[in-house]
Amino acid sequence: MNCTDIKRLIHAYIDAELDIDTSVEIERHLRQCTACAQLIEQQNQWRLLIESNAVDLYQKAPAKLSKNVRSALREADRAGAKPFAISWRTGGVGIALVLSAIVIGNVAPLFGIVSNQDRLGNEVISSHVRSLMADHVFDVASSDEHTVKPWFNGKLDFSPPVHDFSAQGFTLVGGRLDYVSNRSVAAMVYRHEQHFINLFAWPASPANPANDTAGSNIENRSSQGYSVFNWTQAGMNYWVVSDLNRDKLQEFVRLLKTPAR
Amino acid sequence: MADKFKLKVFENIVMPHLDAAYNLARWLLHHHPDTEDVVQESFLRAFKFFDGFRGNDARVWLLAIVRNTCWTWLQKNGALQLTTPFDETTHSLEYTDENGNSWTSNPETLALQSASDKTLRAALEQLPVEFREVVILRELEGLSYKEIAKITGTPPGTVMSRLARGRGQLQHILVDANQRDEIG
């Protein structure tokens, strides 16, 4: 590496944009070339001058802008809403009760005996629906698995697997604590286009098989337009619920089941 | 039902970057009275295109939309000067090489360490918009060349050369201002 190369790479170097190998080569040259070393130092000092003033130079949005943008968005949202959309806010509780009843009623067999699987299926569907109705989809909103996963620390007695699949069209949008089958569970919320997916996870407990799912075979069922998949893997129970069509949701399930990460 | 939650998700994921959006717009539009309107328009466009948002980085995605909206405004209002008004070659104090680097003195020796942010602000305002935006996105938002490339729709190599020239011009302007202060 010669001085001409260095001059070409000054800014990339001081901005830490170069790979390790190139940086090492540059540093080797700088140790032997005081002219280039001086150059780099000068440019770095100028960079630091701006950086040290960055806080004062940064222009934050005025308070009223936030308010105006929010109401403009709400207006746009209202204008874009489909004519037959039910307004969940007004009368939301009443509708929630009715819908829960329908969901539970349909999944349970006619003669009233509910298997464990059916019971769990009812619960996760209710939980999914309730989270959307009560506007309580997530407690932590982030697409970054390194933000969502640690959020569960201290709130759960296990560490749920959290992965983002934006590249495959399933974006992690957040996480939430939920309560299913008499225990705290992790709910990871994903979005595919306009559909929400709730992924529930909790540890399998051989001591309490009533809480466990069917086993490593993926079971799937649908109820009231919701597709549900469940399985057990590596000591963890998984339930996936969404109004997304079953084939697409199955794609998502396959991603989750992939062992290699 | 899904439509209702589009707004909720948008508010959670995109609204946190309102300051970044305003900062970029303010620097591109020289704090023109229309700045807030342009930002609002950017957010409405972002909301319209939100279904197409697949990535991880809402800030980069949003800033690309803000940048586009600002440049459209600049073009419409005849404020876009892509030729640099600042003639780098006639400066006698320093010279600029073929890479756009200028050999000015160290800011320490020029006692520019205490340069007020007002001085810096004035200097930044003088940069041509295509240099200014790269400097702002790099120094104030801390974005990588790759991210700036996505926002400006230019290759990373162009980002680097505009950054080099933008920094170079900034240094010229600040050295000039400093000398004038010392004399006058």
Side-chain angles (χ1 to χ4, degrees), chain A residues 4 7-12 14-15 17 39 41-43 45-47 49-51 53-62 64-66 68-70 72-74 76-77 80-82 88-89 131-133 135 137-138 141 143-144 164 166-167 169 171-173 191 193-196 226 243, chain B residues 1-13 15 18-20 22-23 26-27 36 39-40 43-44 47 50-51 53-56 97-99 101-108 110 112-113 115-117 120-121 124 138-141 143-146 160 163-164 167 170-171 174-175:
Chain A
T4 318
K7 286 167 193 174
R8 199 173 36 87
L9 294 172
I10 289 181
H11 294 274
I14 64 176
D15 288 331
E17 288 276 339
L39 223 51
E41 181 55 23
Q42 283 169 6
Q43 286 300 323
Q45 285 299 321
W46 281 106
R47 184 187 66 82
L49 179 65
I50 309 285
E51 193 178 273
N53 282 280
V55 172
D56 295 317
L57 291 168
Y58 201 97
Q59 306 286 304
K60 290 206 161 175
K64 69 173 162 77
L65 181 59
S66 176
N68 291 345
V69 170
R70 280 176 202 273
L73 288 171
R74 273 194 289 272
D77 188 46
K82 297 199 188 83
W88 296 113
R89 282 200 201 282
S131 75
L132 296 176
M133 285 185 175
D135 238 359
V137 187
F138 29 67
S143 292
D144 181 6
D164 177 57
S166 296
T171 307
L172 174 69
V173 292
R191 191 174 65 96
E193 292 173 7
Q194 285 179 312
H195 301 273
F196 276 88
Y226 295 98
D243 64 341
Chain B
M1 181 154 91
D3 272 339
K4 170 183 160 59
F5 299 99
K6 180 183 173 189
L7 178 62
K8 181 83 180 171
V9 177
F10 185 89
E11 283 183 342
N12 275 317
I13 287 179
M15 283 304 292
L18 178 65
D19 282 337
Y22 179 78
N23 181 60
R26 180 250 171 270
W27 281 107
E36 294 188 32
V39 173
Q40 186 162 308
F43 270 85
L44 287 171
F47 187 61
F50 191 47
D51 290 333
F53 172 58
R54 294 268 181 278
N56 264 328
D97 72 7
E98 66 281 0
N99 291 314
N101 295 311
S102 65
W103 298 176
T104 64
S105 325
N106 195 305
E108 276 176 339
L110 295 173
L112 270 166
Q113 289 283 308
S116 68
D117 59 283
L120 288 171
R121 203 173 299 163
L124 278 165
R138 172 71 215 140
E139 307 291 16
L140 298 191
E141 285 294 339
L143 292 160
S144 71
Y145 291 5
K146 214 163 39 162
M160 185 165 80
L163 185 60
R167 281 171 166 164
L170 208 55
Q171 292 163 25
L174 288 169
V175 167

Side-chain angles (χ1 to χ4, degrees), chain B residues 16 18 25 34 36 42 47 50 57 62 64 67 69 79-80 82 100 109-110 115-116 126 140 157-158 162 169 173:
Chain B
L18 178 65
D34 283 357
E36 294 188 32
S42 306
F47 187 61
F50 191 47
D57 198 333
L62 175 69
R67 192 264 190 187
T69 314
L80 205 60
L82 286 174
T109 62
L110 295 173
S116 68
Q126 287 182 54
L140 298 191
T158 307
R162 286 182 180 177
Q169 276 195 19
I173 295 168

Side-chain angles (χ1 to χ4, degrees), chain A residues 58, chain B residues 14 17-25 28 42 46 57-70 133 137 141 143 147 150-152:
Chain A
Y58 201 97
Chain B
V14 182
H17 305 296
L18 178 65
D19 282 337
Y22 179 78
N23 181 60
L24 180 61
L28 291 181
S42 306
D57 198 333
R59 176 173 64 149
V60 170
W61 176 79
L62 175 69
L63 289 181
I65 295 174
V66 173
R67 192 264 190 187
N68 271 334
T69 314
C70 286
E133 70 177 354
L137 291 171
E141 285 294 339
L143 292 160
E147 289 167 330
K150 282 199 199 138
I151 292 169
T152 58

